[in-house]
Amino acid sequence: MIISPFPRSSRHQTTECPARTTAARRWNKFPVTVDVLIVGLLRFLVLSQFLAQTLGYSQRGSAEDHAALIRAKYTGYNTLVRPVTNLSDPVRISFGIVLILIISVNERDQVFKSNLWYRLGWNDPQLAWNPSEYGNIQKITMPADKVWTPDIVLLNNADGKYGVSYKSNAVIYSGGDVIWLPPTIYRSTCEINVVYFPFDTQTCKMRFKSWTWNAQEVVLESFEDPNLVDLSDYTESGTWDIIEAVGHPFYYYTDKQPRMEMVYHFVIRRRPLFYVVNLLIPTCLITFLTVLVFYLPTDSGYAKYLIEISFFSPAKSFFKWVFDRFAPFTGKKLP
């Protein structure tokens, strides 16, 4: 055995870098393999798809899928056929109105003018589809004249315009649910009571029903909140305050057929500040000055006559202008 005369020193021994050793230890502590990465990626994809379906942000499909869906649904579709499986079943219409603005209340003509839009919803079995067959498309938008729509009109209109002002598009969902929100401006009749003017409160109502279908063919139901008018987008009027806005269904028989209406009541109260400042206060002042003239001495003579004329002449012109412009005269009652 040959023994080297040179002892083996520490500089000939292999040493490891401390930083590299620490990194290796950390890597060994958390080993990551290709299998682990694939499993994590699959979990992420499944979770994202679940959240997309839950939150409603699913894929919309391509233009070809959209065109194929429209061709499939509207081939043989008839807008004149009620959307029911059995003709003996009624179409249940979810109906509601959203009041946007009270435009005016004409006391002399007894007309209530308002800006609102419908909230209509129903189910059309002919328009249902399987989203997985059309690129996961959940809904489509179509013109209102391309789908069946209920012929709901305002019965107590004051200008002969029974329907909506603008036929907006209808939104159709994969389950066959159809949502239609057309806006309109209506002039409806309203019986005005001006006995307590300008501190009066009026109740105006609007009556909606299907023009041709009876209650066995079309049933009107509340859209969301029953017996209430949606005021979430309402813009306050400068003349009227809304005290209450409610609605309810009304059933009756005509020609031995069941009928139904949705009747909405609007209880509004006039804001009296303008009339108090421009009508009541000047009236009280002129009345007080007129009575005060009688306390003048009888020997005033011509001066007393001039004072009376100076009061009555402007008062006559003022009252004529105010009542012609603002006073709400009706044929039944006076303020």
Side-chain angles (χ1 to χ4, degrees):
M1 180 177 181
I2 301 175
I3 300 175
S4 174
F6 303 98
R8 189 174 183 179
S9 61
S10 59
R11 61 181 181 178
H12 291 91
Q13 298 177 359
T14 58
T15 59
E16 296 181 355
C17 178
R20 185 178 300 177
T21 303
T22 304
R25 290 176 179 175
R26 291 179 179 177
W27 180 260
N28 293 330
K29 185 177 181 180
F30 301 100
V32 179
T33 62
V34 178
D35 296 338
V36 174
L37 291 175
I38 294 176
V39 172
L41 181 60
L42 291 176
R43 290 179 178 177
F44 173 76
L45 292 176
V46 172
L47 180 61
S48 62
Q49 183 69 17
F50 172 76
L51 292 177
Q53 294 180 357
T54 303
L55 299 177
Y57 300 115
S58 56
Q59 300 176 1
R60 299 181 61 89
S62 62
E64 291 77 8
D65 295 331
H66 193 271
L69 174 59
I70 294 177
R71 286 194 302 267
K73 292 291 100 181
Y74 283 91
T75 300
Y77 181 81
N78 193 340
T79 59
L80 302 179
V81 179
R82 284 190 308 122
V84 291
T85 305
N86 192 345
L87 291 180
S88 62
D89 297 333
V91 181
R92 298 192 174 274
I93 307 294
S94 298
F95 180 78
I97 60 176
V98 180
L99 183 63
I100 305 299
L101 176 66
I102 296 178
I103 300 177
S104 63
V105 177
N106 192 328
E107 293 88 350
R108 297 189 179 185
D109 297 335
Q110 300 195 26
V111 173
F112 176 71
K113 188 176 182 180
S114 59
N115 182 6
L116 54 89
W117 44 278
Y118 288 167
R119 303 175 71 178
L120 294 169
W122 65 93
N123 185 270
D124 194 336
Q126 302 180 74
L127 299 177
W129 71 88
N130 188 357
S132 61
E133 298 178 358
Y134 300 97
N136 202 25
I137 297 177
Q138 301 293 333
K139 66 177 182 179
I140 57 175
T141 303
M142 295 297 295
D145 55 356
K146 298 296 183 181
V147 299
W148 180 92
T149 54
D151 56 345
I152 296 178
V153 298
L154 175 67
L155 293 181
N156 61 324
N157 73 88
D159 57 0
K161 296 180 180 179
Y162 292 88
V164 297
S165 303
Y166 169 71
K167 285 192 173 183
S168 60
N169 292 335
V171 181
I172 307 172
Y173 293 88
S174 59
D177 294 331
V178 182
I179 303 297
W180 189 35
L181 310 174
T184 185
I185 295 178
Y186 274 138
R187 290 167 53 89
S188 57
T189 58
C190 179
E191 185 176 355
I192 305 297
N193 185 358
V194 294
V195 173
Y196 301 103
F197 171 83
F199 305 99
D200 54 330
T201 299
Q202 308 296 337
T203 301
C204 298
K205 66 179 181 180
M206 304 179 74
R207 300 167 52 201
F208 298 93
K209 72 176 293 291
S210 174
W211 187 253
T212 55
W213 308 107
N214 58 35
Q216 294 178 342
E217 297 167 326
V218 171
V219 177
L220 298 180
E221 302 174 339
S222 298
F223 191 88
E224 285 184 355
D225 196 352
N227 304 329
L228 289 179
V229 177
D230 190 350
L231 300 177
S232 57
D233 295 323
Y234 175 71
T235 301
E236 291 188 0
S237 171
T239 308
W240 299 91
D241 289 327
I242 293 184
I243 306 302
E244 188 179 29
V246 297
H248 62 86
F250 175 65
Y251 298 89
Y252 60 96
Y253 277 84
T254 301
D255 298 331
K256 298 182 180 180
Q257 291 185 353
R259 304 283 182 177
M260 73 169 304
E261 300 177 4
M262 288 295 292
V263 183
Y264 292 92
H265 297 269
F266 299 90
V267 181
I268 56 178
R269 181 173 57 199
R270 191 190 306 269
R271 293 184 175 183
L273 179 60
F274 174 83
Y275 301 96
V276 170
V277 174
N278 295 277
L279 183 60
L280 293 183
I281 293 179
T283 301
C284 295
L285 290 177
I286 292 175
T287 303
F288 174 75
L289 294 176
T290 303
V291 175
L292 190 62
V293 171
F294 292 96
Y295 288 92
L296 294 177
T298 56
D299 55 355
S300 299
Y302 188 71
K304 183 177 181 180
Y305 174 75
L306 289 179
I307 293 175
E308 291 179 355
I309 293 298
S310 63
F311 285 159
F312 284 113
S313 295
K316 179 180 178 181
S317 301
F318 172 77
F319 286 129
K320 184 178 184 304
W321 175 78
V322 168
F323 277 89
D324 289 343
R325 187 175 179 85
F326 303 108
F329 294 110
T330 62
K332 296 182 178 180
K333 299 179 181 179
L334 294 176

